[in-house]
Amino acid sequence: MRSLFWMTVGACVILTAASQTAEAVGLGMYTRYGTSSVEAEIGDSDFDSVDMDRSHLAIGLALDTAVARQSVFNYRLELGYTEVSVEYDRSNFELDFTGGEINNTFGFAIVRSHSTRIWLGPTFRLSGGSGEVADSDIDASYIAVGAGAVLGGNHHLGSVASICWSLGYVYQYGVVLFDEEEESWGDSDDITLTGGGFNGTIAMIFHLGGEER
């Protein structure tokens, strides 16, 4: 996870430097909250899959190549810290993780004006972290990949910054891996989680180099 973090930070720096010449880039912070229903399958057991609820909270860095520019296309990169919780509502079973996420979103403008940019496009997410089963000493790690669609809006505060929002739906496939030394979990060595849900994001992105609105 640390290597992934520093590689992405490096990518942000390179993209920022490259975009300065085009006077199109914006850089800021975002926060996101989302919930989803997932189907969980426990290892190689003979039990039927069960439905669980997954929620996540994220905060981090957002880079947009055309936050306020009169361009049809924009690319948004988000690198954030996340807290993920997976619960089974018929018991006290709960998994809690902390980690990171990378979101790659490709937007296509459907409204372009002096004060507002509305866009729509696909998004791809990679997330992961470590944690434990609640109220126990059982450690676990978590990794997931997902894809979906996002509708977003950028509302410009003059030439300085934009307040940005987005609403998205992302379908994810994830795997929970338990510590191999944890004997109390039994013979099940993993849980697969598949399912999708909605999320909402708010961001404050500052214009770098002077935006063309």
Side-chain angles (χ1 to χ4, degrees):
M1 289 301 298
R2 290 184 179 179
S3 298
L4 186 62
F5 174 83
W6 287 113
M7 288 175 63
T8 308
V9 170
C12 287
V13 173
I14 293 172
L15 282 172
T16 301
S19 299
Q20 288 292 333
T21 58
E23 298 184 347
V25 73
L27 187 65
M29 299 293 293
Y30 79 95
T31 182
R32 174 185 297 109
Y33 178 76
T35 61
S36 59
S37 296
V38 296
E39 185 178 85
E41 294 185 1
I42 304 175
D44 298 325
S45 68
D46 295 328
F47 294 105
D48 293 334
S49 59
V50 297
D51 294 329
M52 293 186 176
D53 297 320
R54 175 174 56 195
S55 63
H56 79 274
L57 176 67
I59 183 171
L61 177 71
L63 181 145
D64 195 305
T65 61
V67 65
R69 189 174 175 82
Q70 289 290 340
S71 171
V72 173
F73 173 77
N74 73 287
Y75 166 69
R76 181 169 295 184
L77 172 66
E78 295 171 341
L79 169 66
Y81 165 84
T82 63
E83 294 183 352
V84 178
S85 178
V86 182
E87 301 179 21
Y88 183 44
D89 58 7
R90 295 185 180 180
S91 71
N92 294 324
F93 181 75
E94 179 179 341
L95 295 163
D96 296 313
F97 301 99
T98 58
E101 68 172 14
I102 299 175
N103 295 281
N104 296 275
T105 302
F106 304 89
F108 299 88
I110 53 179
V111 174
R112 289 177 291 168
S113 70
H114 181 76
S115 61
T116 301
R117 187 176 194 273
I118 306 296
W119 51 271
L120 177 69
T123 188
F124 303 92
R125 179 176 300 165
L126 171 64
S127 60
S130 60
E132 62 182 11
V133 178
D135 301 323
S136 76
D137 295 325
I138 303 175
D139 297 324
S141 58
Y142 171 73
I143 187 168
V145 294
V150 177
L151 172 68
N154 308 338
H155 304 280
H156 315 313
L157 305 176
S159 60
V160 177
S162 296
I163 295 178
C164 306
W165 59 268
S166 66
L167 298 174
Y169 179 89
V170 175
Y171 187 92
Q172 290 184 281
Y173 174 83
V175 179
V176 177
L177 300 174
F178 293 93
D179 192 321
E180 294 180 355
E181 298 179 357
E182 301 289 355
E183 298 179 356
S184 57
W185 182 249
D187 296 330
S188 298
D189 56 355
D190 59 44
I191 296 178
T192 58
L193 304 172
T194 56
F198 291 92
N199 59 82
T201 304
I202 295 292
M204 174 69 78
I205 298 182
F206 295 91
H207 308 166
L208 303 181
E211 296 287 340
E212 177 190 343
R213 300 188 311 281

